[in-house]
Amino acid sequence: MLNDIHAVLFDLDGTLIDSAPDLGAAADKMRTDRGLESLPLSLYRPMAGAGARGMIAVAFGLTPQDVGFDRLREEFFANYEVRLIEQTYVFEGVSDLIARICHGGLKWGVVTNKSARFTLPLTRAMPLFNTAQTIISGDTMSHPKPHPAPLLEAARQLELAPERCIYVGDDERDILAGRAAGMPTVAAAYGYLGAVSDTAGWNADFTITSPSDLLNLLKIT
């Protein structure tokens, strides 16, 4: 199935980078600013892949349908924007994975639901992304994942048929988007995973428990 793959596309948060410390801190500041007790990162981490929605749910127990959510979301965005990479780091093994993907002659890129307001300055500030050949944000297209449009746009920018790209992500929406785009999919079981701990129900083509596992799937040495 992976014998004719020419590019690897990745989700961002929870797949390539651990941004949970900065996302959690941005939400937790909203609590402490209101005189509420600070919450541990362990509560924020599983929901970091859901961005503002996930962080506000942890911090205040609110959903996008609740009154006041939009105001809290903008406050969260402002907090996060000033600390994008204060404590964010590349997952262990990812830098080597990307270097070996490039050495093997494959293209690579990022398809995330994070808006360009944050994706672009973050990826410009982190050397890992210097070799990325496409970066698609959550607002690049009119529909974010799980719609296939962002992945199809990434393939178009790489000048490849979708089936020549593989998509790696740590959220069920990533797998749904990849399957809808006609790409082989890989569940990153080392990521945030949302409210679940078992990726089996996502029906990904493959599951990896560390970034280096992808090298074995791609037969890159």
Side-chain angles (χ1 to χ4, degrees):
M1 184 179 216
L2 297 182
N3 290 336
D4 199 21
I5 295 298
H6 294 244
V8 186
L9 297 171
F10 296 92
D11 177 46
L12 182 60
D13 303 85
T15 302
L16 294 176
I17 62 172
D18 187 354
S19 52
D22 284 320
L23 289 164
D28 210 54
K29 183 178 186 301
M30 297 166 65
R31 285 183 57 86
T32 57
D33 284 350
R34 289 165 171 77
L36 300 172
E37 66 176 346
S38 177
L39 297 177
L41 175 60
S42 60
L43 293 181
Y44 290 107
R45 179 179 293 281
M47 300 307 297
R53 177 171 51 84
M55 297 298 93
I56 292 171
V58 173
F60 299 104
L62 298 177
T63 71
Q65 289 71 45
D66 290 314
V67 175
F69 179 89
D70 290 347
R71 177 177 53 81
L72 289 174
R73 181 179 58 193
E74 289 308 312
E75 182 180 346
F76 169 80
F77 285 161
N79 286 351
Y80 180 54
E81 195 165 28
V82 299
R83 56 168 309 124
L84 280 175
I85 58 170
E86 283 190 15
Q87 299 179 72
T88 292
Y89 61 91
V90 177
F91 278 118
E92 182 178 357
V94 164
S95 293
D96 179 63
L97 169 64
I98 296 301
R100 291 166 75 175
I101 284 174
C102 293
H103 183 72
L106 275 67
K107 298 178 179 181
W108 79 280
V110 172
V111 181
T112 176
N113 273 1
K114 201 184 202 82
S115 70
R117 172 181 175 184
F118 310 112
T119 303
L120 296 182
L122 186 153
T123 54
R124 286 168 183 158
M126 300 185 76
L128 175 75
F129 301 98
N130 289 346
T131 56
Q133 288 153 293
T134 181
I135 295 178
I136 304 296
S137 301
D139 49 0
T140 299
M141 309 298 289
S142 56
H143 299 285
K145 299 174 297 182
H147 198 283
L151 286 170
L152 294 174
E153 174 61 14
R156 187 193 68 79
Q157 291 187 10
L158 294 176
E159 300 181 329
L160 291 171
E163 60 268 24
R164 299 293 174 255
C165 307
I166 190 168
Y167 188 52
V168 186
D170 70 312
D171 190 284
E172 186 174 14
R173 291 172 299 174
D174 299 324
I175 306 307
L176 291 170
R179 291 172 65 87
M183 298 181 182
T185 57
V186 179
Y190 58 84
Y192 301 139
L193 306 186
V196 303
S197 58
D198 185 6
T199 62
W202 297 358
N203 295 316
D205 295 301
F206 304 94
T207 299
I208 58 175
T209 58
S210 72
S212 60
D213 289 346
L214 189 61
L215 295 171
N216 295 328
L217 288 180
L218 295 171
K219 297 181 175 60
I220 295 177
T221 59

